[in-house]
């Protein structure tokens, strides 16, 4: 099963409730929330109240991607708002192991996000504390950017190093520039969760977009 996680950042906020409904109706099963602080990334988005609203408005898996400095300050708020998954960026986290335990202490799945130019060797020491790895395939901050192909090398390396030891339900997520041209390069490499902002929300037939991303048509 390939999870599809539309990124709410590309939705029409004038009709947010309808947009969330449309994500569900399209057959996508996750909802990806990009939380930006204007420090770690140049953009600012929204806080825990949006996660709470999304959780109430649907039964989608609420996937919170924290692109913020000092993520430890907000993990509890997002957990209490109803997040099912929380990703923190390794680049923001000197105490990564502690924060992953903290996420799990709320019964929330723990994930680490990795920028395009960040090495993955640190995973040696935390792979058992993770439910998901999020590979950024754009520099975080904005939707609608172009896919960075060197990410494919990184996923190959990840598979080589960790592939055989991963638990069965481990999630490998890719975020940024995912569309009909790039999805197969990822799913062929074992990526089982695709985040999609622009491609999904701008597609005239969102159910079709989901099927294309999953490789079903
Ligand atoms: C970028 C965000 C992404 C982004 C994806 O910082 O983390 O989730 O919204 O948007 P697209 O699919 O348009 O690249
Ligand atoms: Zn994201």
């Amino acid at each position: 099963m390939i999870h599809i996680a539309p990124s709410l950042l590309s939705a029409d906020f004038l009709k947010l409730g309808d947009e969330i409904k449309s994500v569900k109706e399209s057959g996508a099963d996750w909802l990806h929330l990009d939380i930006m602080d204007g420090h770690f990334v140049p953009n600012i988005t929204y806080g825990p109240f949006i996660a709470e609203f999304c959780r109430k408005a649907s039964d989608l898996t609420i996937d919170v991607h924290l692109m913020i400095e000092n993520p430890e300050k907000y993990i509890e708020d997002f957990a209490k708002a109803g997040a099912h998954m929380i990703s923190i960026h390794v680049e923001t986290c000197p105490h990564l192991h502690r924060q992953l335990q903290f996420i799990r202490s709320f019964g929330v799945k723990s994930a680490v996000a990795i920028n395009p130019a960040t090495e993955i060797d640190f995973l040696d020491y935390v792979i058992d504390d993770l439910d998901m790895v999020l590979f950024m395939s754009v520099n975080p901050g904005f939707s609608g950017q172009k896919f960075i192909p060197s990410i494919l090398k990184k996923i190959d390396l990840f598979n080589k190093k960790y592939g055989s030891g991963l638990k069965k339900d481990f999630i490998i997520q890719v975020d940024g520039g995912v569309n009909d041209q790039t999805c197969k390069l990822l799913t062929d490499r074992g990526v089982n969760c695709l985040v999609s902002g622009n491609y999904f929300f701008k597609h005239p037939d969102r159910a079709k977009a989901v099927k294309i991303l999953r490789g079903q048509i």
Side-chain angles (χ1 to χ4, degrees), residues 5-10 32-36 41 43 46 65 67 89 134 136-147 174-179 195-200 202:
S7 160
L8 199 69
L9 195 55
S10 297
H32 183 84
L33 302 182
D34 287 306
I35 313 303
M36 305 186 187
V41 290
N43 202 0
Y46 30 79
H65 178 192
M67 284 161 276
H89 268 264
L134 186 180
M136 287 305 302
S137 41
V138 296
N139 288 299
F142 302 94
S143 54
Q145 301 182 79
K146 207 165 162 278
F147 184 84
V174 172
D175 183 8
V178 174
N179 56 33
V195 176
S196 174
N198 258 29
Y199 178 71
F200 175 86
K202 299 236 155 72

Side-chain angles (χ1 to χ4, degrees), residues 18-35:
D18 290 343
E19 291 285 68
I20 295 169
K21 224 164 113 193
S22 139
V23 170
K24 178 72 192 171
E25 284 166 4
S26 72
D29 52 333
W30 287 30
L31 187 60
H32 183 84
L33 302 182
D34 287 306
I35 313 303

Side-chain angles (χ1 to χ4, degrees), residues 43-166:
N43 202 0
I44 299 179
T45 58
Y46 30 79
F49 76 97
I50 290 278
E52 199 176 334
F53 177 76
C54 293
R55 177 68 193 260
K56 278 188 194 140
S58 78
D59 60 357
L60 294 158
T61 294
I62 305 300
D63 172 32
V64 171
H65 178 192
L66 293 182
M67 284 161 276
I68 62 176
E69 285 175 6
N70 306 118
E72 66 281 1
K73 287 190 183 166
Y74 294 97
I75 287 169
E76 182 166 3
D77 290 350
F78 280 100
K80 290 189 171 154
H84 294 96
M85 319 272 319
I86 296 181
S87 306
I88 51 179
H89 268 264
V90 58
E91 300 84 3
T92 64
C93 247
H95 301 290
L96 181 62
H97 184 271
R98 178 188 291 159
Q99 303 318 335
L100 295 173
Q101 306 303 316
F102 190 44
I103 293 171
R104 282 187 167 175
S105 74
F106 297 101
V108 173
K109 301 229 186 228
S110 61
V112 70
I114 307 172
N115 274 345
T118 302
E119 300 279 357
I120 59 167
D121 288 347
F122 75 91
L123 287 172
D124 285 357
Y125 310 103
V126 289
I127 194 79
D128 294 334
D129 303 290
L130 288 168
D131 299 297
M132 175 171 97
V133 167
L134 186 180
F135 291 104
M136 287 305 302
S137 41
V138 296
N139 288 299
F142 302 94
S143 54
Q145 301 182 79
K146 207 165 162 278
F147 184 84
I148 298 171
S150 63
I151 197 73
L152 299 174
K153 262 195 297 192
K154 200 190 284 193
I155 296 168
D156 289 342
L157 180 64
F158 173 85
N159 282 332
K160 206 167 136 201
K161 278 192 84 174
Y162 306 104
S164 59
L166 295 175

